[in-house]
Amino acid sequence: MYLLVSAVGLYSNSFGQQPTKQVTAQSGITFAYSTDKQVLAKGQQLFQQNCTACHNFLQKGIGPNLAGVTSEVTPEWLKSFIRNAPQKIEQKDARAVRLFAEYKQYMPTFSQLSDSDTDALVAFLHAKRQRTPNVGDDKKLGVALTDPIPARIQQSGLRLHLTEVTTAPASAEKVPLARINKMQVLPGKPDRLFLEDLRGTLYEMVGDSLRVFMSFPNERPAFIHSPGHATGFGSYAFHPDFHTNGLFYTTHTEKPNTAPADFAYADSIKVSLQWVLTEWKLTDPAAKTFSGSGRELMRTNMVTTIHGVQEITFNPLAKAGSPDYGLLYIGVGDGGATENGYYFLCKDRNRVWGKVLRIDPKGTNSKNGRYGIPAQNPYAGANSQKGLPEVFCGGFRNPNRIAWTPDGKMLISDIGQAQSEELNIGVAGADYGWPEREGTFVINHRGRMDQVYALPKNDADFKYTYPVVQYDHDEGNAISSGFVYTGTAIPALTGKYIFGDIVNGRVYYVDSKQLQPGKQAPIQEFTVQVGGQNSTFQQLTNSKKTDLRFGVGLNNEFYLYTKADGKIYKVTDCSIDKSPISKQ
């Protein structure tokens, strides 16, 4: 549940329990909230099902911190907002508009919640009202930066011409209509192109149409894709020897405690869901639809439903016989652990959270015996006392995508908390700073995580590796990783790493030659044109949150597509733009 306000609910007497009293700071009127254990348990369950992807009681996240929220607005206002938040914003309600401007996306409607549901939910929120972050260290860090990166991203003067190719089948009735996510070319004779929907479908793109290749719910009945925000069918990757061994790999989500986890933590910390890595073997690698069997490689518990295992990939540049050939890279987010007070889960080198892993899926020397540990991993063999042997590098909040440049640089995008979005060059054993750093800034994971501070004078002592591209939240809210254009049809794009912002849909690029360790590559922005008219993805999708993604198709053709409406566009040209539109 994405609450642009900071509270929900209204007490009713439908449970017959004794309420507690609360005076709102806004009105001075006293309202009552249940303390009944059954009601609170129901409210906690509803919160975990609908709210934890965006909210907690310690920090701002995707949505506001909900600690103490039942003191801030009247129950009547809250009721109407929960039922139809977009309508409240459209009615120009001052509070709704202010919070919408801050978080830049709508909360969906929750008309399915009954009055007793919202009563239980608000009772639970009221019970959590006194949780606050420890801000004692904030003063030691100096003055919080109000504008971490003052320089604005400049218009490049280039217009990106897009042609609408097709629309993915809607997998829901509400936005996002199709959670199309990762595009992947399977090399062969001929090459094949695939695209997955996080709600559980892997498509093959044939011409301008999408054909179902695999349905996850049919293969794994325990599969879940709600409550969204990257849960579901997270990622997939074909083994480089797929045409001879028929192996490919997927990640997906299941409910908590579906099976024992290979990577778990103390029982006192909640588990919101599990991420599962699976190896599949096709009966016929050339088949048009999936038929085969799967075996589980690893299972990981997550504190919340966000920042999971959203990326798996093989190094496409590794040749047969080279050390990196056939090794699977796995991006594991911190699972919302840090903003919920469990920062040590991702700070510890001996844990998987906030790391990029590297395994040999055909090996057997892992702890569970289902995969192998590459001998060249930083903490393998004699170095196992220094960290988890599966770890390749760490210090990420959400290593959302991994790609390689033509000259061999590994690129890892990391979606930030509240201030900075970043792109990093992947280096074995490197620490990229989270949860002590966000981009090139200090963050206090024990205090207010919506603030950042300048680096200390002795920063070199910490040996953090910093991003080669970053932008702050004046420009966008979540980096959408891209690729270097390697096609031949549009020379003006050659060598450009093209990417953008998930939320506002702005499209950027940097020169891939400027992606150098220890330096910041300057970002420039494209103007987007569709159907001969300059536009933006917010206008094209008619949504403030576009859910913009990038992909490379057959013949190195470049694609952009949006979950908001499921539309898929191909880049057909790049020209000089003499009249760029204003930023949205």
Side-chain angles (χ1 to χ4, degrees):
M1 178 182 290
Y2 182 65
L3 298 176
L4 288 174
V5 299
S6 300
V8 291
L10 166 66
Y11 164 77
S12 77
N13 61 8
S14 56
F15 298 97
Q17 68 278 7
Q18 293 298 315
T20 60
K21 303 290 186 179
Q22 175 67 39
V23 180
T24 69
Q26 183 184 63
S27 65
I29 301 173
T30 300
F31 300 101
Y33 301 91
S34 173
T35 58
D36 183 89
K37 292 183 179 180
Q38 291 184 341
V39 175
L40 293 176
K42 180 180 181 181
Q44 182 176 13
Q45 181 182 27
L46 287 166
F47 183 83
Q48 291 175 348
Q49 290 173 344
N50 299 292
C51 310
T52 54
C54 301
H55 303 282
N56 61 73
F57 299 97
L58 289 174
Q59 303 289 346
K60 290 182 179 181
I62 297 174
N65 175 1
L66 297 183
V69 296
T70 51
S71 303
E72 298 181 2
V73 290
T74 67
E76 292 79 8
W77 191 96
L78 294 170
K79 278 281 201 180
S80 64
F81 194 88
I82 294 168
R83 295 300 181 195
N84 195 334
Q87 182 182 70
K88 201 77 172 176
I89 296 167
E90 291 169 4
Q91 291 172 345
K92 306 299 182 183
D93 177 90
R95 181 184 178 88
V97 169
R98 174 174 57 82
L99 287 164
F100 177 69
E102 180 176 357
Y103 293 97
K104 298 180 176 65
Q105 54 185 308
Y106 289 106
M107 181 181 96
T109 59
F110 286 92
S111 56
Q112 78 278 12
L113 295 180
S114 66
D115 285 343
S116 63
D117 287 339
T118 54
D119 295 342
L121 185 53
V122 74
F124 172 69
L125 293 177
H126 188 65
K128 306 289 282 188
R129 66 191 180 279
Q130 295 179 347
R131 294 191 69 184
T132 56
N134 177 6
V135 297
D137 292 337
D138 286 352
K139 294 181 180 179
K140 299 178 183 178
L141 299 175
V143 179
L145 303 176
T146 57
D147 188 3
I149 306 175
R152 301 277 72 87
I153 293 176
Q154 298 299 307
Q155 289 284 340
S156 65
L158 295 178
R159 181 190 294 117
L160 205 61
H161 297 253
L162 306 181
T163 299
E164 185 177 335
V165 174
T166 190
T167 300
S171 52
E173 295 180 354
K174 297 180 179 179
V175 173
L177 297 180
R179 296 177 68 204
I180 48 178
N181 193 41
K182 179 179 179 179
M183 181 177 283
Q184 176 90 44
V185 173
L186 172 61
K189 296 180 181 180
D191 292 352
R192 300 169 68 181
L193 181 60
F194 291 83
L195 179 67
E196 120 267 23
D197 185 313
L198 272 72
R199 294 189 176 106
T201 302
L202 179 60
Y203 296 103
E204 181 175 359
M205 192 168 176
V206 182
D208 294 343
S209 63
L210 296 175
R211 179 177 65 200
V212 175
F213 177 76
M214 179 184 187
S215 172
F216 233 98
N218 291 345
E219 303 299 329
R220 289 292 184 265
F223 168 80
I224 59 172
H225 63 77
S226 61
H229 294 288
T231 53
F233 180 8
S235 186
Y236 65 101
F238 296 97
H239 193 279
D241 295 327
F242 173 81
H243 290 291
T244 56
N245 63 26
L247 298 177
F248 80 103
Y249 301 84
T250 64
T251 66
H252 74 278
T253 47
E254 297 184 2
K255 291 181 180 180
N257 306 313
T258 300
D262 298 291
F263 299 105
Y265 36 75
D267 292 343
S268 58
I269 303 174
K270 68 179 180 180
V271 178
S272 293
L273 52 73
Q274 296 180 317
W275 277 91
V276 183
L277 174 66
T278 305
E279 177 185 83
W280 303 91
K281 185 173 179 60
L282 273 71
T283 306
D284 177 9
K288 293 183 179 180
T289 57
F290 172 80
S291 176
S293 59
R295 70 180 183 98
E296 184 174 312
L297 298 188
M298 68 171 65
R299 181 177 292 258
T300 305
N301 286 342
M302 290 290 170
V303 174
T304 76
T305 60
I306 57 176
H307 314 163
V309 188
Q310 296 173 239
E311 176 69 308
I312 54 175
T313 186
F314 293 93
N315 180 351
L317 303 179
K319 303 299 182 182
S322 67
D324 215 28
Y325 188 78
L327 301 186
L328 185 65
Y329 289 85
I330 307 163
V332 183
D334 81 345
T338 303
E339 61 197 71
N340 281 273
Y342 309 117
Y343 66 90
F344 50 87
L345 291 181
C346 51
K347 189 175 173 63
D348 188 345
R349 288 181 181 174
N350 291 287
R351 299 178 185 266
V352 296
W353 298 277
K355 313 295 193 303
V356 170
L357 313 182
R358 182 172 62 180
I359 67 169
D360 178 1
K362 298 179 71 176
T364 59
N365 66 330
S366 62
K367 185 176 181 180
N368 67 7
R370 298 174 188 164
Y371 57 88
I373 305 296
Q376 67 268 37
N377 275 10
Y379 310 121
N383 292 320
S384 61
Q385 298 300 315
K386 299 179 181 179
L388 193 71
E390 286 89 344
V391 170
F392 176 77
C393 58
F396 301 103
R397 179 176 182 264
N398 183 3
N400 187 254
R401 284 288 176 268
I402 301 171
W404 276 262
T405 65
D407 60 354
K409 292 189 285 284
M410 179 186 182
L411 303 179
I412 306 170
S413 64
D414 191 12
I415 295 178
Q417 175 81 12
Q419 295 288 349
S420 181
E421 304 301 312
E422 60 186 77
L423 182 72
N424 302 277
I425 293 179
V427 177
D431 183 346
Y432 296 85
W434 184 262
E436 305 290 346
R437 299 289 186 271
E438 183 179 6
T440 57
F441 308 102
V442 173
I443 188 169
N444 179 14
H445 55 73
R446 296 179 182 85
R448 288 188 54 182
M449 292 180 65
D450 60 327
Q451 296 180 343
V452 292
Y453 306 84
L455 296 176
K457 293 182 179 179
N458 66 334
D459 186 64
D461 297 343
F462 297 98
K463 295 180 170 52
Y464 292 130
T465 300
Y466 288 118
V468 293
V469 174
Q470 72 174 351
Y471 63 90
D472 66 12
H473 284 200
D474 288 340
E475 309 288 1
N477 293 81
I479 186 172
S480 184
S481 182
F483 303 89
V484 176
Y485 181 80
T486 58
T488 58
I490 312 174
L493 297 180
T494 300
K496 290 180 170 58
Y497 175 80
I498 304 170
F499 67 108
D501 189 78
I502 290 173
V503 179
N504 63 29
R506 290 168 65 185
V507 183
Y508 305 128
Y509 76 85
V510 296
D511 187 333
S512 65
K513 293 181 180 179
Q514 294 183 310
L515 299 175
Q516 300 295 331
K519 298 180 180 180
Q520 286 283 315
I523 305 171
Q524 296 191 72
E525 183 173 5
F526 285 109
T527 295
V528 171
Q529 185 177 96
V530 178
Q533 298 294 322
N534 287 3
S535 189
T536 70
F537 276 103
Q538 288 182 333
Q539 293 169 348
L540 292 168
T541 61
N542 194 31
S543 175
K544 290 293 184 182
K545 184 178 182 182
T546 67
D547 266 321
L548 177 65
R549 298 294 189 273
F550 298 82
V552 176
L554 303 179
N555 303 312
N556 294 311
E557 292 177 323
F558 211 93
Y559 289 85
L560 290 80
Y561 42 98
T562 47
K563 293 183 187 178
D565 57 8
K567 292 185 182 298
I568 301 172
Y569 302 86
K570 182 191 298 183
V571 178
T572 54
D573 199 4
C574 180
S575 64
I576 301 297
D577 181 27
K578 297 181 179 179
S579 56
I581 58 174
S582 61
K583 297 178 182 179
Q584 297 299 306

